[in-house]
Amino acid sequence: IKGFKHDRVLYSYFKGGDMKADVYTGTVDDVPIILIRPNCQYFQGDGIYGGSYSEMEAYLYFSRACLEYLHVSGRQPNIIHFHDWHMCAVPMLYWDMYTTLGLNKARVVLTIHNMDNTGEIKTDEMDWVGLRGVEYCVPEKAMDPRTAGHNPERMALLKGGIVYSSATTTVSPTYANEVLNGGASGWMKDCLDVHRSKFHGLLNGIDRNVWDPERDLALPITFGPRSPEGKLLCKRFVMRGLGMMTDENQDEMDKTPLVVCVTRLVPQKGIHLIKHAIHRTAEKGGAFVLLGTANHGGINGEFEWIAEQQRENKKIKLMLMYNEALSHHLYSAADVVLVPSMFEPCGLTQMVGMKYGAVPVVRRTGGLADTVWDVDQDGVPEGRRKNGFVFDGTDEGSLNQALDRALQYYKEKPTEWTELSVANMKIDHSWNTSASKYVELYRSL
């Protein structure tokens, strides 16, 4: 952070009193930032997410504190853009409290990254920020209709965020369609039917400052579409480091397709298909590397058992952890990136993989359907190119028809595979296009 400095002491109402925080300012990549550090226990824990502190308490406090800072500092932003249930108290506070205090020039935009998490909240918890919770526990505001008639009735912050936002976006066009017209919205469908006119699907992008093989300092050698030969050297570097390659088998492993899966090991990501892909890749003579973690000990145990089964197979490596630098190496080495998600609002793995010259094998859902087009597909939309292997079902046989084709293509068509790899490196999945669409949306408000 450049120009980092203390801006002011901020007092923000919460739970019946004024909570003290320190506000700092600076710039990151020439973008001005404002940081609020509460002088209390909120956000103190072993991780950013995951229940090591009360997320509801922390984010309700933070929502009020952010608006309080804008108010007392005299700022009048054009857009207040917030994300997911965590910050969905913001639009309710903004429209029902702060506009009457003079903070009234902005429009508010909600981005939903995952409809599975709705932020269940009790009415008395909403009271913490200075709003009367009972006034929001009605069907046309934030009430969770599944609790109608219960004692007590409950609310969902995400629903309130949708109702009170000027516009709501999610992170890919296909996921937006699945939410509005499919089953992805679940019990929120009635709310979204009412507010569908302000719902938009805008594809996420990848940060080229972080994910770019032409300037990635984590790699032993950089490469790109103009110098793709560096990718093979990165593959050798990784496979040697993992004990998969030696001087004796280098020629063999150079010709062996390396399938990489970098993921969280949760049901959404298609755990049963990942496990099957490990065995299937081994059967087909390929190499497979998994880098992933699970919050559930039983899931880790299942993959540890598979690792033990494959212990004698030097082509299979399962690493049940997450390491940022190692993920860069794996993308640089991968011939194939596997993303067999049950649902995927956007997905960045396939975009990063393609930037590093890998060919994705994905299930056709959400953002995966918006970014990967099957090499055997008849025709693709204008401006798109065939860049991977796609399957539709959720069963092992459906995965096989895509994974088998990818492994066969790699082995039997090396020239065409190299051309496909280089073409994938050229695809622009950066924020340039996505940012312009957000600006267009902002201006429409």
Side-chain angles (χ1 to χ4, degrees):
I1 301 175
K2 295 182 180 179
F4 183 74
K5 64 180 182 180
H6 186 266
D7 180 75
R8 68 179 67 215
V9 173
L10 175 70
Y11 290 92
S12 177
Y13 176 86
F14 194 66
K15 282 190 170 182
D18 287 332
M19 303 294 293
K20 182 181 178 182
D22 288 292
V23 181
Y24 300 87
T25 60
T27 62
V28 174
D29 292 334
D30 297 324
V31 176
I33 62 168
I34 300 165
L35 304 173
I36 297 176
R37 181 179 183 181
N39 293 338
C40 57
Q41 76 278 11
Y42 305 140
F43 296 104
Q44 292 183 7
D46 297 330
I48 298 175
Y49 305 106
S52 59
Y53 59 87
S54 170
E55 290 186 304
M56 182 60 70
E57 186 179 48
Y59 286 106
L60 285 174
Y61 161 78
F62 187 59
S63 296
R64 175 76 192 252
C66 289
L67 290 172
E68 185 66 19
Y69 174 77
L70 293 175
H71 170 56
V72 300
S73 65
R75 296 170 184 263
Q76 290 284 358
N78 300 117
I79 297 291
I80 297 174
H81 195 151
F82 57 103
H83 295 255
D84 280 341
W85 72 261
H86 309 75
M87 299 300 290
C88 279
V90 166
M92 292 181 271
L93 283 163
Y94 175 76
W95 291 116
D96 289 350
M97 181 183 295
Y98 279 92
T99 55
T100 63
L101 299 175
L103 178 62
N104 54 18
K105 299 290 195 298
R107 295 294 180 265
V108 289
V109 178
L110 163 65
T111 290
I112 300 172
H113 296 263
N114 192 331
M115 288 292 298
D116 262 12
N117 304 310
T118 60
E120 184 180 279
I121 182 174
K122 302 173 185 177
T123 56
D124 59 343
E125 291 174 330
M126 185 70 88
D127 295 344
W128 295 346
V129 296
L131 297 174
R132 294 189 71 244
V134 293
E135 295 181 1
Y136 296 85
C137 196
V138 292
E140 62 270 20
K141 291 187 178 180
M143 178 182 170
D144 182 342
R146 297 172 300 175
T147 69
H150 292 192
N151 185 16
E153 294 176 327
R154 290 175 177 261
M155 299 180 291
L157 279 176
L158 188 65
K159 179 182 176 182
I162 294 169
V163 170
Y164 273 78
S165 66
S166 308
T168 301
T169 73
T170 192
V171 291
S172 71
T174 295
Y175 187 62
N177 182 60
E178 292 169 352
V179 167
L180 292 176
N181 304 310
S185 56
W187 67 266
M188 296 274 283
K189 182 165 177 34
D190 288 344
C191 173
L192 287 162
D193 283 345
V194 173
H195 297 278
R196 65 188 297 126
S197 63
K198 64 180 181 182
F199 199 83
H200 309 266
L202 303 180
L203 194 67
N204 268 348
I206 58 175
D207 187 346
R208 288 286 303 278
N209 291 324
V210 177
W211 300 109
D212 186 351
E214 292 187 285
R215 49 180 174 170
D216 191 334
L217 298 180
L219 305 184
I221 185 172
T222 56
F223 62 90
R226 292 170 295 184
S227 54
E229 61 277 358
K231 183 170 177 62
L232 175 59
L233 298 178
C234 287
K235 180 179 178 179
R236 290 174 177 173
F237 179 83
V238 167
M239 297 187 90
R240 283 181 178 273
L242 294 177
M244 304 169 82
M245 177 183 285
T246 63
D247 289 340
E248 289 72 24
N249 72 353
Q250 178 173 297
D251 289 343
E252 174 194 351
M253 296 306 290
D254 280 349
K255 299 174 184 178
T256 299
L258 173 60
V259 180
V260 166
C261 185
V262 179
T263 187
R264 291 181 296 115
L265 295 173
V266 295
Q268 174 199 340
K269 301 298 182 179
I271 291 175
H272 67 295
L273 295 181
I274 294 171
K275 290 190 289 188
H276 176 72
I278 296 168
H279 296 295
R280 187 67 173 185
T281 302
E283 289 174 11
K284 295 294 182 178
F288 194 104
V289 176
L290 169 69
L291 179 64
T293 56
N295 293 329
H296 192 284
I299 294 175
N300 271 331
E302 292 174 11
F303 281 92
E304 288 170 354
W305 183 73
I306 295 173
E308 179 61 25
Q309 279 187 312
Q310 298 288 342
R311 186 161 51 90
E312 299 301 321
N313 186 350
K314 299 302 182 182
K315 295 181 180 180
I316 306 297
K317 295 293 178 183
L318 310 185
M319 294 174 285
L320 302 179
M321 62 177 188
Y322 185 74
N323 181 292
E324 179 76 16
L326 181 55
S327 70
H328 283 248
H329 286 291
L330 292 181
Y331 284 123
S332 75
D335 297 305
V336 172
V337 288
L338 176 68
V339 194
S341 303
M342 296 297 95
F343 70 95
E344 192 63 69
C346 179
L348 299 180
T349 299
Q350 78 281 9
M351 299 186 198
V352 173
M354 285 188 280
K355 188 63 189 173
Y356 282 70
V359 176
V361 171
V362 307
R363 183 170 173 271
R364 198 191 319 269
T365 183
L368 301 174
D370 293 317
T371 53
V372 183
W373 307 92
D374 198 285
V375 297
D376 294 324
Q377 180 176 336
D378 292 330
V380 297
E382 184 177 353
R384 305 291 186 179
R385 61 166 61 128
K386 299 177 182 182
N387 55 8
F389 297 84
V390 182
F391 63 99
D392 291 292
T394 60
D395 60 292
E396 297 172 350
S398 296
L399 169 64
N400 287 350
Q401 66 86 10
L403 181 59
D404 290 1
R405 284 188 296 121
L407 299 177
Q408 183 178 8
Y409 197 101
Y410 179 90
K411 293 177 179 178
E412 297 181 1
K413 300 180 179 180
T415 301
E416 291 87 343
W417 185 277
T418 299
E419 292 171 351
L420 181 58
S421 171
V422 171
N424 281 356
M425 295 182 205
K426 296 177 180 178
I427 299 174
D428 183 8
H429 285 304
S430 72
W431 271 104
N432 294 340
T433 300
S434 299
S436 66
K437 292 182 178 179
Y438 272 105
V439 171
E440 183 180 339
L441 173 63
Y442 294 157
R443 288 175 174 164
S444 73
L445 303 176

